[in-house]
Amino acid sequence: MTDGTMEIVTFYVISDSAGETASKLAQASMAQYPSVEFNLFRRTFVNDKELLLKALEDAKEENAMVLHTIINEELVKITHEFCEQHSLFSFDVLTPAVREIEQRSGVAPTREPGALHHLNENYFKRIKAMEFAVKYDDGKDPRGFLEADVVLLGVSRTSKTPLSLFLANKNLKVANLPLVPQAHIPKQIWEVDPKKIVGLTNDPNILNNIRKERMKSYGLNPDTAYSDIEKIKAELVFANDLYQKLGCEVINVATLSIEETASIILNALHLEDHSYYGTV
């Protein structure tokens, strides 16, 4: 820019369904440029020529980068021609992979918008996994540990519940147990295959800050036994001693996002992400 200011980079995600795939690609790209300002617009359920041309005209007005997941061949052609004519950057997320699969398999694609989100058998398995995670959250029923695909252990504020729900969205049954020194450890934990157990830990100072902020959010004094640094250290020692006895996988979540921790768990426990598999 001639005035020395940085140009805002604009993405237009255009999809014939919910637009999640292209949005994730846009977000992953944006994350590489923390100093750049972005706009992200979504035009979803675009399934006819009129809606598509309106979305493309809007993108042209913003000189946007167009990321699209459209399966209808006519609409894909319109998108390509429009973007080429108006010198807009465009990225077709679906077509190259779909064409390659067709070439390798000899099977034509269904060309059905939103096929990923069918209410199929796999979808209902995911709902059951979510219900399982809620039912067996925070050690509510120790019987769940023996039925779970993954058992998460950890002191307070080590992301047990959000991790349980995130993994449940990948069709995994997850139960979790909060650890408190001197508290009773359910006998079922000792009966679970250690290869299904993950011990979550954190850095004391980070936990201290997280717990203080939690107390503040409740309008309470942040300096309590719950946030006391020495008590936190004692909790972490207790937890790590238990993990050693169990012989389970241990993950320090201090610098990890939920997504990163979940990925490490899947790899460490040799589990597959089944969220996109199933009968259509």
Side-chain angles (χ1 to χ4, degrees):
M1 299 290 288
T2 55
D3 61 0
T5 59
M6 186 178 295
E7 182 178 0
I8 297 174
V9 179
T10 300
F11 279 98
Y12 257 71
V13 166
I14 303 175
S15 175
D16 54 21
S17 185
E20 295 174 11
T21 304
S23 293
K24 287 289 186 185
L25 176 58
Q27 291 161 6
S29 302
M30 291 188 291
Q32 296 297 319
Y33 297 91
S35 64
V36 176
E37 187 174 349
F38 292 96
N39 285 328
L40 174 60
F41 297 96
R42 288 168 55 140
R43 297 292 182 266
T44 56
F45 302 101
V46 175
N47 47 31
D48 62 42
K49 183 177 178 180
E50 184 179 353
L51 286 172
L52 176 60
L53 288 174
K54 176 64 170 68
L56 290 169
E57 286 289 348
D58 290 344
K60 184 183 75 170
E61 288 298 315
E62 300 286 344
N63 188 30
M65 298 171 63
V66 176
L67 305 182
H68 62 92
T69 47
I70 302 171
I71 199 63
N72 180 283
E73 288 184 286
E74 181 188 358
L75 298 184
V76 170
K77 183 180 179 183
I78 291 171
T79 304
H80 288 173
E81 290 176 351
F82 185 98
C83 291
E84 185 174 347
Q85 180 183 348
H86 297 284
S87 301
L88 283 180
F89 172 89
S90 70
F91 187 77
D92 184 342
V93 180
L94 277 182
T95 301
V98 168
R99 283 180 177 166
E100 182 67 18
I101 292 170
E102 181 176 7
Q103 183 176 343
R104 293 185 182 210
S105 68
V107 177
T110 62
R111 299 283 173 189
E112 181 183 356
L116 178 62
H117 303 290
H118 268 170
L119 300 186
N120 56 19
E121 179 185 348
N122 191 55
Y123 175 84
F124 291 108
K125 284 181 180 178
R126 193 179 316 150
I127 295 298
K128 287 184 178 179
M130 298 288 281
E131 291 172 343
F132 185 95
V134 172
K135 182 177 181 180
Y136 296 111
D137 185 40
D138 274 347
K140 292 173 186 172
D141 185 344
R143 292 173 297 182
F145 298 130
L146 298 177
E147 299 176 35
D149 299 312
V150 181
V151 174
L152 301 178
L153 308 178
V155 302
S156 177
R157 314 317 291 171
T158 48
S159 304
K160 296 183 299 299
T161 296
L163 261 174
S164 294
L165 294 172
F166 190 89
L167 289 168
N169 200 42
K170 298 183 180 298
N171 291 16
L172 294 169
K173 294 186 293 183
V174 186
N176 72 72
L177 177 69
L179 299 180
V180 180
Q182 287 79 51
H184 170 70
I185 302 297
K187 65 176 183 178
Q188 289 86 350
I189 290 295
W190 302 101
E191 298 170 14
V192 176
D193 183 347
K195 294 178 181 177
K196 292 184 176 183
I197 301 176
V198 175
L200 304 173
T201 188
N202 205 327
D203 294 343
N205 291 329
I206 291 176
L207 263 184
N208 176 254
N209 290 330
I210 292 172
R211 291 185 180 185
K212 282 186 175 182
E213 289 302 316
R214 188 185 190 195
M215 299 306 291
K216 287 179 184 177
S217 71
Y218 291 150
L220 301 173
N221 182 357
D223 296 312
T224 64
Y226 178 68
S227 60
D228 180 80
I229 190 71
E230 295 306 320
K231 290 188 180 296
I232 289 173
K233 289 178 180 177
E235 288 181 41
L236 292 172
V237 169
F238 170 79
N240 286 318
D241 285 346
L242 176 63
Y243 303 157
Q244 292 298 317
K245 291 175 183 175
L246 290 169
C248 66
E249 184 74 23
V250 180
I251 300 174
N252 189 323
V253 301
T255 61
L256 299 175
S257 67
I258 297 296
E259 293 84 353
E260 288 171 324
T261 306
S263 181
I264 292 170
I265 290 172
L266 291 175
N267 287 332
L269 273 55
H270 306 291
L271 295 169
E272 295 293 333
D273 177 353
H274 292 290
S275 54
Y276 300 116
Y277 305 152
T279 304
V280 175

